[in-house]
Amino acid sequence: MQGRSCGLCGQTRFAEARLVAAPKTRRHVSGRNSRCITRAAASGPKLMWEALREAVDEEMEKDPTVCVMGEDVGHYGGSYKVTYDLYKKYGDLRLLDTPICENGFMGMGIGAAMTGLRPIVEGMNMGFLLLAYNQISNNAGMLHYTSGGQFKVPIVVRGPGGVGRQLGAEHSQRLESYFQSIPGVQLVACSTVANAKALLKSAIRSDNPIIFFEHVLLYNVKGETNDNYYQDLERAEVVRQGKDVTILCYSRMRYVVLQAVQELEKQGIDPEVIDLISLKPFDMHTISASVKKTRRVIIVEECMKTGGIGASLSAQINEALFDDLDHQVVRLSSQDVPTAYAYELEAATIVQPEQVVEAAQKIVQKQMAYA
Amino acid sequence: MDFPGGKAMDAVFYDSQRQGRFSFYMTSGGEEATAVGTAAALQPEDVIFSQYREHGVLLHRGFTLQEFAHQCFGNKHEPGKGRQMPIHYGSKALNFHTVSAPLATQLPHAVGAAYALKLQGVKACTAAYFGEGAASEGDFHAAANFASTLGAPVLFICRNNGYAISTPATEQYKGDGIAGRGASYGMASTRVDGGDARAVYAATAEARQIAVAGGCPVLIEAMSYRSGHHSTSDDSSRYRTADEMRRWRARDPVERMQKWMTHQGWWDEEQEKELRQSSRKQVVEALQIAQKEDKPPLSCMFTDVYADLPWHLKEQQAEVADFVRRHPEMLPAGMPNDL
């Protein structure tokens, strides 16, 4: 397989063709396809990490109570550069480098949040936040409630998750499904340069504890942002309007789906693509409008089959929209296995565009067979 | 008043739990001097994070016996809105954080709060209470390391009361107690007689000065004895001897303070008797009033989970309202239905 060199870090990437194609696809779709809903750009194109950095910078500038804490967030600028050089502007105390203890700095962020600050706590990898689960669940999620509303926890927990490029099982985890049950936390997943910045700004402003999922492979995606725009944390994005099938996805799977869409269009299949954005609570308003129109649903996720975001979404759709469905909800998820290091095994574990194409063909053809 | 008030409350509330009036209680007998002595040396702007056996601190801050009773019954008057179990108090007005049950999680919170005070330029400290057993938890080490490394003005106040439920301190650690750990984190540390209120006060006052002036943490290990059971779910006679308990109760901190004050000529038997009786009377009255009060309304089940009510909670709330409409007998007595 031909390798391509990444312009930013020099790393040779193999199946990068797929990922690099994705943003072009999106611009192609937004430019030519009037059914696609995207926003007009207000500034030059930038990388996703730069957009996230802008969000942090803008909010820190506006509000002195916003601060960042985590490992290597200060002088090092963050492992994915989201806080690059911000310490020069705001000082070492507001870009706080902590010793290594996820439960420690999570607890610290919670205590600071209850004492008037708006901390952004960075997990170097979402998987490491398993160590912080106790603080996230028992305290971030619960203290506003158990204190009778006396103490609030306006914290943003952010970091890269998802399957990367051969990073091995411990560095390839999808924590969104693990956190989903926790009462009191809100879950948001960004996917584009535009929504990354706009959602992070909203998350920082929110009084709720928000777990903000970035994806390890999307930091170098290029796109436009909108100035001063705060995106609704609880609203899904209709990426492409269509009538044949509703495809629900989030984070990097948005690009996988859009790649499949290119092929499906050639076959005359017209999918509606919705990026969930809000993983808790789900935007059932947008989702049900779509399902009522298409009557067929495919969920495309990177989570495991068992207990994934798709599992809980499927149940909700079943209960709320049973009479509007012509087919059972189809879930395309990762296998219930730790993500292997070997390239081929890793690729086989997660959902590929070909699988999305096949699932859409099947679901639409079955309908056509009855028509 | 903190001392006899606390003792009376412990006695009456413990018995109330036994009588089935509320589900759970924890006494702090034998540790009153640690609680009140430290609290007296703190300022109102100092933020307090407790474990669960620090009623004396909250009493000293100004939480009334009536408010304690309201919390134990989880009625509509308590600021926690009936959501936390008994003795898991919290009062924003008194700068005392709501108790969170998992051990030691409050220690990193205290570090974060101290960091917030520092960032906001407030000249105060945070005080975090914990037992010698809780000090085995990872969060203790994280908090100690973070506070020292990052320069957070935290008073880590350890109540070494000899037991973690049935685990004696000799089985909890092998080093020189909790104070012995401070040096390894680069933290000023001291060990004090937790049964001597004046010693505890002096140590805390000094520690506070160091913490606030230096922007750094200080560790205080107060040695005392847990005179009562771990909680109403425990019977400590199963793991310790009556003789041991008798010897320690003879050194009860409240009696020691009483004897010292009498010796100074500031107190006498008559006043003691009167104060104990009036305290007990107040507690019993508070209990009776609290028991009669309504519980928080049904809507309180769903509020404060988030800042506002998201659609999925509105839906779940509607389901509950509908269920109660069809089965009104399922609604507990004393719980108003405002849905």
Side-chain angles (χ1 to χ4, degrees):
Chain A
M1 186 159 304
Q2 192 70 356
R4 289 174 55 172
S5 216
C6 167
L8 213 70
C9 64
Q11 207 185 344
T12 305
R13 286 147 186 248
F14 286 95
E16 196 65 85
R18 291 205 169 101
L19 200 59
V20 169
K24 279 197 221 139
T25 304
R26 193 169 57 77
R27 281 203 291 277
H28 159 80
V29 170
S30 73
R32 300 239 309 254
N33 188 336
S34 60
R35 286 177 294 180
C36 183
I37 297 150
T38 50
R39 296 194 184 281
S43 51
K46 56 187 73 113
L47 302 175
M48 190 183 285
W49 67 262
E50 291 173 317
L52 291 164
R53 182 184 179 280
E54 275 180 17
V56 175
D57 188 6
E58 284 171 19
E59 294 308 311
M60 283 186 79
E61 192 171 298
K62 273 192 196 148
D63 183 351
T65 67
V66 179
C67 58
V68 181
M69 56 184 73
E71 295 153 15
D72 304 298
V73 298
H75 287 240
Y76 192 70
S79 294
Y80 292 88
K81 295 195 281 289
V82 173
T83 50
Y84 190 73
D85 268 5
L86 289 180
Y87 79 97
K88 288 183 181 167
K89 189 172 171 187
Y90 300 108
D92 291 337
L93 201 57
R94 277 181 84 190
L95 273 304
L96 192 70
D97 278 327
T98 68
I100 307 174
C101 184
E102 280 70 13
N103 212 33
F105 61 70
M106 192 62 63
M108 190 175 164
I110 292 165
M114 294 195 290
T115 317
L117 297 186
R118 289 185 173 274
I120 303 167
V121 181
E122 174 173 307
M124 192 181 286
N125 185 283
M126 275 294 178
F128 306 165
L129 294 184
L130 287 170
L131 289 156
Y133 205 104
N134 188 25
Q135 287 285 359
I136 291 171
S137 175
N138 278 318
N139 293 321
M142 290 188 195
L143 278 168
H144 187 242
Y145 186 79
T146 58
S147 71
Q150 294 182 91
F151 299 100
K152 64 180 183 181
V153 190
I155 197 175
V156 175
V157 177
R158 50 157 292 276
V163 177
R165 195 66 73 220
Q166 297 189 259
L167 298 175
E170 301 94 331
H171 293 86
S172 308
Q173 298 187 80
R174 284 76 84 196
L175 274 270
E176 56 271 23
S177 55
Y178 300 12
F179 288 133
Q180 206 192 23
S181 274
I182 301 172
V185 299
Q186 201 172 333
L187 270 50
V188 176
C190 65
S191 51
T192 66
V193 174
N195 68 35
K197 179 175 176 181
L199 289 168
L200 186 53
K201 282 168 75 75
S202 298
I204 295 166
R205 296 315 318 153
S206 169
D207 274 353
N208 292 325
I210 311 235
I211 310 182
F212 190 87
F213 292 88
E214 298 153 14
H215 196 285
V216 69
L217 288 182
L218 295 181
Y219 286 110
N220 293 331
V221 160
K222 216 172 203 172
E224 310 273 355
T225 56
N226 306 295
D227 280 344
N228 270 316
Y229 179 59
Y230 290 87
Q231 186 163 332
D232 188 341
L233 295 169
E234 293 168 46
R235 183 60 46 86
E237 276 180 22
V238 180
V239 184
R240 182 192 189 282
Q241 283 185 0
K243 59 170 172 35
D244 290 340
V245 56
T246 299
I247 305 181
L248 304 169
C249 56
Y250 66 94
S251 190
R252 193 180 84 80
M253 286 296 134
R254 175 183 176 133
Y255 299 94
V256 170
V257 169
L258 289 177
Q259 204 152 353
V261 162
Q262 281 188 300
E263 181 58 37
L264 290 170
E265 279 173 345
K266 289 187 199 144
Q267 295 173 22
I269 294 175
D270 184 27
E272 179 147 291
V273 179
I274 294 179
D275 186 333
L276 295 173
I277 302 292
S278 180
L279 303 183
K280 177 171 176 154
F282 292 129
D283 177 6
M284 286 309 288
H285 181 80
T286 303
I287 293 168
S288 53
S290 178
V291 174
K292 286 185 167 148
K293 186 168 53 160
T294 68
R295 305 184 69 84
R296 270 149 276 168
V297 182
I298 299 173
I299 298 171
V300 180
E301 60 174 348
E302 208 171 62
C303 285
M304 266 78 81
K305 194 71 161 205
T306 301
I309 293 291
S312 119
L313 182 54
S314 178
Q316 289 232 17
I317 293 172
N318 241 336
E319 285 159 13
L321 300 159
F322 188 76
D323 291 328
D324 296 296
L325 290 170
D326 286 345
H327 191 283
Q328 75 268 29
V329 175
V330 170
R331 269 186 303 158
L332 299 178
S333 326
S334 296
Q335 327 293 357
D336 282 321
V337 301
T339 312
Y341 158 81
Y343 172 76
E344 295 78 6
L345 289 176
E346 182 184 73
T349 305
I350 54 177
V351 179
Q352 299 295 341
E354 291 80 0
Q355 289 167 270
V356 180
V357 170
E358 193 180 72
Q361 284 169 339
K362 253 196 191 148
I363 208 174
V364 167
Q365 276 157 17
K366 212 169 179 175
Q367 189 53 35
M368 279 157 55
Y370 292 132
Chain B
M1 184 46 200
D2 296 337
F3 279 166
K7 278 256 188 260
M9 183 171 76
D10 274 356
V12 173
F13 284 10
Y14 187 90
D15 287 345
S16 300
Q17 190 277 345
R18 283 286 177 261
Q19 291 164 8
R21 296 191 201 219
F22 42 81
S23 66
F24 181 81
Y25 192 71
M26 291 175 115
T27 59
S28 51
E31 302 184 59
E32 293 90 343
T34 304
V36 178
T38 51
L42 298 173
Q43 297 300 317
E45 60 269 21
D46 296 334
V47 186
I48 295 178
F49 292 85
S50 63
Q51 180 161 306
Y52 49 52
R53 215 182 289 281
E54 295 86 8
H55 327 325
V57 176
L58 196 50
L59 255 176
H60 184 83
R61 278 264 160 120
F63 213 59
T64 64
L65 294 170
Q66 187 64 71
E67 287 174 304
F68 277 100
H70 286 324
Q71 197 281 332
C72 286
F73 280 101
N75 66 31
K76 68 181 184 194
H77 295 293
E78 78 106 351
K81 298 179 189 165
R83 292 160 182 162
Q84 259 295 15
M85 51 195 289
I87 68 99
H88 287 64
Y89 320 103
S91 167
K92 187 169 178 152
L94 299 177
N95 237 341
F96 188 100
H97 274 261
T98 300
V99 176
S100 175
L103 291 178
T105 57
Q106 73 276 14
L107 302 179
H109 294 174
V111 178
Y115 164 78
L117 292 176
K118 207 172 174 182
L119 200 67
Q120 293 166 111
V122 177
K123 272 285 179 198
C125 69
T126 61
Y129 293 82
F130 56 102
E132 86 287 348
S136 292
E137 284 280 357
D139 275 5
F140 165 78
H141 304 282
N145 190 30
F146 276 50
S148 307
T149 311
L150 303 171
V154 185
L155 300 188
F156 288 106
I157 302 170
C158 178
R159 294 179 292 96
N160 190 330
N161 63 13
Y163 285 94
I165 308 188
S166 71
T167 306
T170 47
E171 287 173 28
Q172 192 65 245
Y173 51 75
K174 270 282 170 275
D176 178 18
I178 311 308
R181 297 177 190 171
S184 67
Y185 293 111
M187 209 185 324
S189 319
T190 189
R191 176 172 287 134
V192 68
D193 177 357
D196 181 346
R198 292 154 56 230
V200 172
Y201 176 85
T204 309
E206 174 82 22
R208 187 187 184 274
Q209 199 163 28
I210 294 170
V212 175
C216 62
V218 181
L219 175 60
I220 300 170
E221 185 181 17
M223 311 302 289
S224 60
Y225 186 78
R226 198 197 72 207
S227 289
H229 307 301
H230 165 70
S231 71
T232 46
S233 310
D234 174 47
D235 173 15
S236 58
S237 64
R238 292 166 55 197
Y239 51 82
R240 53 184 180 178
T241 63
D243 189 53
E244 178 194 295
M245 289 193 273
R246 193 172 26 247
R247 279 187 289 112
W248 274 99
R249 282 174 182 170
R251 298 163 60 177
D252 182 74
V254 175
E255 280 187 37
R256 281 171 71 178
M257 174 56 95
Q258 182 212 333
K259 283 199 167 80
W260 180 77
M261 284 171 64
T262 309
H263 186 75
Q264 301 286 40
W266 302 333
W267 197 247
D268 62 42
E269 236 356 277
E270 195 53 49
Q271 286 173 292
E272 178 67 25
K273 190 159 157 234
E274 215 180 275
L275 188 55
R276 286 191 194 218
Q277 278 174 355
S278 70
S279 301
R280 194 186 164 85
K281 188 160 171 286
Q282 271 184 53
V283 173
V284 171
E285 270 170 16
L287 193 79
Q288 287 167 342
I289 291 171
Q291 183 155 17
K292 291 203 200 83
E293 292 297 303
D294 268 354
K295 299 287 184 262
L298 198 51
S299 64
C300 276
M301 187 164 136
F302 296 96
T303 51
D304 301 325
V305 178
Y306 297 98
D308 302 304
L309 221 60
W311 72 264
H312 70 293
L313 288 186
K314 280 191 187 139
E315 215 172 78
Q316 290 171 20
Q317 188 182 71
E319 277 171 24
V320 170
D322 190 49
F323 182 84
V324 169
R325 236 189 320 274
R326 288 180 283 114
H327 302 275
E329 74 284 358
M330 295 292 293
L331 191 69
M335 174 179 270
N337 181 2
D338 61 341
L339 291 182

